[in-house]
Amino acid sequence: RLHLVTWNVGTASPPPDVTSLLQLNSLGPAMDMYVIGLQEVNSRITNFLSDLAFDDPWSIFFMTVLSPLGYIKLSSVRMQGLLLLIFVKHVHLPFIQGIHTHYTRTGLYGYWGNKGGVSIRMSLYGHTICFMNCHLPAHMENTEQRLDDFEKILEMQFEGENVPSPLGHDVLFWFGDLNFRIADYGIHFVRESINNKRYNLLWEKDQLNMAKKTEAFLKEFIEGPLQFKPTYKFDLYSDVYDTSEKKRKPAWTDRILWRVKNLCQDASKEGEFSEEEQTISVTLNNYVSHMSYGISDHKPVTGTFGLELKPILSVPLVVLNPEGEWSAERDVIIRYSAVPEFPSSAWDWIGLFKVAFRHVNDYVTYAWVEDDEISSNKDSKQVYMSAAEIPNMGGEFLLCYYSNNLQSIVGISEPFQIQPSRTSVEKDLTQEENSWMQKPDNLESHDGS
């Protein structure tokens, strides 16, 4: 289950709550993956330089919301105002490999990153998937420029890298502030159609729908029905369309589309396609806008998808476990085994993480698999961690094996408890006694007893 968000945030700070945006209260099973594409993230030079050194406020915000729920930030890519974040449930980490990020500038003839595209690609259970967040040129008359820019982004992403082009992936998701407008109709007809919820009257004059009929490279992209109000342009903190002097015409600028490679190839073979050959399928469960968010002049749009995969990669490359009971009193041991074809490296490491860790560098401590190895046989190896590295307070943790060659986590343990050290328990008890002794005398009951 994949939940994809696109939102032009108009340089605003994160809102106080994103429960409905991320459908955190939905009754069905939890999402397996969140893909969040933002446009116009505040990119003033000072902000941008500090964001390059540290995570930007939006990344920190979504990590704070999602990491306690068991999601880790798998990857992110930023180009000025464009930001793409992917979060996944821990259980999927060993089956995600080949993560690459890329960006393509198209603003100012390719020299400026205010417009363009950012992508994250990966192999998920052996299938190649690419997510592409774009911000294309604005204004009614720039349809051709939008199409040219998107074609250029498709050609340039991952160029020269040892991975397929976006269209070469099994599944490609394309989303963002694509800036396509509603042509021909006047503002009064458009607003009247919206007020009467007769959105279908506007579909045939939507520039993206029109382009999909004529442009070969767009024909294979699928989009859900636009059964929500156009998401641009609103007065801030309202659901009222633009009341400024410009009175811009409403438009569905914020879109989510996808393309499944096998379907495209099989459709062209006419009649040779059998259901059994399809090893990956995409189902759109929900395509909606979220009118309650008013921090920018765009409303966010989300798509909730079911991805059905026939796993090509179904066994983790590394299985690892803590040996015995762990506490900060003594050195501890990790046992792990790898599949025969696993490309191990001297730079591989095993990290100890709190259960609600945010990203791969959010470890408490780590051990090098070669330097800290203490025993090895044909079935498994043992690595030690020094007691000095183990958190005194104890708690719930897990272990992750990071592969340097694959640049990803390839094994993850079940969560386990670390017992607190005796000194930290005694310290807690002493603090408790002290705080009890220091309680003010006026806590006596009212009857004086």
Side-chain angles (χ1 to χ4, degrees):
R1 284 169 60 81
L2 182 153
H3 189 69
L4 203 153
V5 178
T6 179
W7 193 4
N8 181 324
V9 296
T11 73
S13 299
D17 183 65
V18 284
T19 302
S20 67
L21 183 71
L22 302 181
Q23 296 191 351
L24 298 178
N25 286 342
S26 71
L27 294 169
M31 300 298 164
D32 295 288
M33 183 181 283
Y34 282 98
V35 178
I36 300 164
L38 305 179
Q39 306 86 39
E40 289 194 28
V41 171
N42 192 339
S43 61
R44 286 201 303 267
I45 289 298
T46 49
N47 289 57
F48 189 55
L49 291 176
S50 67
D51 292 349
L52 287 175
F54 312 99
D55 275 312
D56 64 278
W58 281 94
S59 298
I60 292 165
F61 171 72
F62 281 114
M63 282 192 283
T64 306
V65 171
L66 289 170
S67 62
L69 304 175
Y71 297 92
I72 168 184
K73 187 182 85 174
L74 179 77
S75 184
S76 66
V77 58
R78 169 97 190 256
M79 178 182 77
Q80 271 170 250
L82 272 172
L83 175 64
L84 178 55
L85 302 161
I86 296 185
F87 293 86
V88 296
K89 278 275 189 199
H90 296 162
V91 65
H92 302 299
L93 285 173
F95 306 101
I96 299 174
Q97 295 174 13
I99 302 161
H100 285 70
T101 63
H102 207 277
Y103 62 84
T104 301
R105 301 184 184 98
T106 58
L108 205 64
Y109 310 105
Y111 289 100
W112 192 238
N114 64 324
K115 295 286 190 289
V118 294
S119 296
I120 299 174
R121 63 84 58 195
M122 67 190 71
S123 157
L124 175 68
Y125 290 91
H127 298 273
T128 55
I129 299 191
C130 181
F131 298 95
M132 183 183 286
N133 172 23
C134 293
H135 193 183
L136 301 180
H139 307 305
M140 179 68 71
E141 66 279 7
N142 283 333
T143 310
E144 287 305 316
Q145 186 66 53
R146 287 187 269 281
L147 295 171
D148 288 350
D149 281 11
F150 179 51
E151 208 166 2
K152 181 182 169 189
I153 292 165
L154 282 174
E155 285 167 9
M156 293 183 69
Q157 294 279 293
F158 310 117
E159 202 177 28
E161 295 185 43
N162 197 19
V163 295
S165 72
L167 295 176
H169 284 73
D170 295 329
V171 182
L172 168 60
F173 287 93
W174 171 40
F175 48 94
D177 178 358
L178 307 184
N179 254 322
F180 289 101
R181 307 303 167 103
I182 296 169
D184 300 345
Y185 297 142
I187 188 166
H188 294 296
F189 178 78
V190 171
R191 288 194 174 187
E192 199 58 31
S193 303
I194 294 167
N195 291 340
N196 295 323
K197 292 193 164 61
R198 298 188 68 186
Y199 309 130
N200 56 318
L201 298 178
L202 308 175
W203 292 344
E204 64 179 30
K205 293 296 181 182
D206 170 81
Q207 291 174 333
L208 180 52
N209 284 343
M210 291 158 75
K212 280 178 68 187
K213 290 175 184 164
T214 57
E215 300 289 335
F217 75 102
L218 288 181
K219 284 182 180 174
E220 294 166 347
F221 281 94
I222 306 165
E223 184 180 18
L226 296 167
Q227 290 173 338
F228 49 87
K229 289 169 78 165
T231 50
Y232 174 85
K233 169 185 169 84
F234 289 89
D235 291 348
L236 293 186
Y237 299 103
S238 82
D239 52 10
V240 176
Y241 284 108
D242 189 12
T243 57
S244 73
E245 281 177 30
K246 289 183 178 173
K247 282 206 168 44
R248 286 194 182 84
K249 195 161 56 165
W252 284 290
T253 54
D254 309 280
R255 311 286 278 270
I256 300 172
L257 299 93
W258 72 98
R259 176 188 183 275
V260 181
K261 190 174 79 171
N262 292 5
L263 283 182
C264 307
Q265 291 170 347
D266 289 319
S268 64
K269 288 182 197 167
E270 288 303 325
E272 292 177 32
F273 173 59
S274 81
E275 197 56 45
E276 284 173 24
E277 288 168 22
Q278 190 64 28
T279 56
I280 183 165
S281 68
V282 178
T283 310
L284 175 67
N285 298 328
N286 204 1
Y287 188 34
V288 292
S289 66
H290 296 260
M291 294 298 290
S292 62
Y293 294 93
I295 59 171
S296 86
D297 54 0
H298 291 251
K299 300 297 180 187
V301 171
T302 61
T304 309
F305 295 88
L307 257 63
E308 208 165 309
L309 309 163
K310 202 175 270 184
I312 298 166
L313 173 69
S314 56
V315 177
L317 296 176
V318 173
V319 174
L320 72 167
N321 294 293
E323 288 257 285
E325 193 175 88
W326 278 34
S327 87
E329 304 281 315
R330 56 183 176 273
D331 293 353
V332 292
I333 292 171
I334 302 156
R335 181 183 293 276
Y336 76 92
S337 57
V339 297
E341 66 274 19
F342 174 61
S344 65
S345 151
W347 297 102
D348 289 357
W349 51 274
I350 295 172
L352 176 69
F353 293 84
K354 288 182 174 171
V355 163
F357 72 114
R358 294 175 164 219
H359 48 77
V360 72
N361 293 326
D362 196 17
Y363 50 79
V364 176
T365 183
Y366 64 90
W368 295 107
V369 294
E370 282 199 8
D371 289 358
D372 299 316
E373 186 179 296
I374 52 170
S375 82
S376 171
N377 60 43
K378 67 178 184 0
D379 295 324
S380 66
K381 297 185 176 189
Q382 288 182 322
V383 172
Y384 90 100
M385 271 182 185
S386 151
E389 307 288 327
I390 306 300
N392 277 330
M393 302 304 292
E396 198 176 18
F397 292 83
L398 42 78
L399 296 164
C400 294
Y401 186 111
Y402 185 84
S403 160
N404 186 63
N405 286 332
L406 299 174
Q407 293 285 296
S408 61
I409 289 171
V410 293
I412 187 165
S413 75
E414 291 292 322
F416 63 97
Q417 288 291 327
I418 295 181
Q419 301 305 317
S421 67
R422 277 196 299 275
T423 48
S424 73
V425 172
E426 285 161 10
K427 196 170 158 189
D428 276 359
L429 288 171
T430 312
Q431 281 174 341
E432 229 170 86
E433 279 172 22
N434 288 346
S435 67
W436 179 250
M437 303 280 282
Q438 288 163 12
K439 280 199 174 148
D441 299 336
N442 61 6
L443 288 182
E444 291 174 357
S445 61
H446 292 297
D447 60 5
S449 60

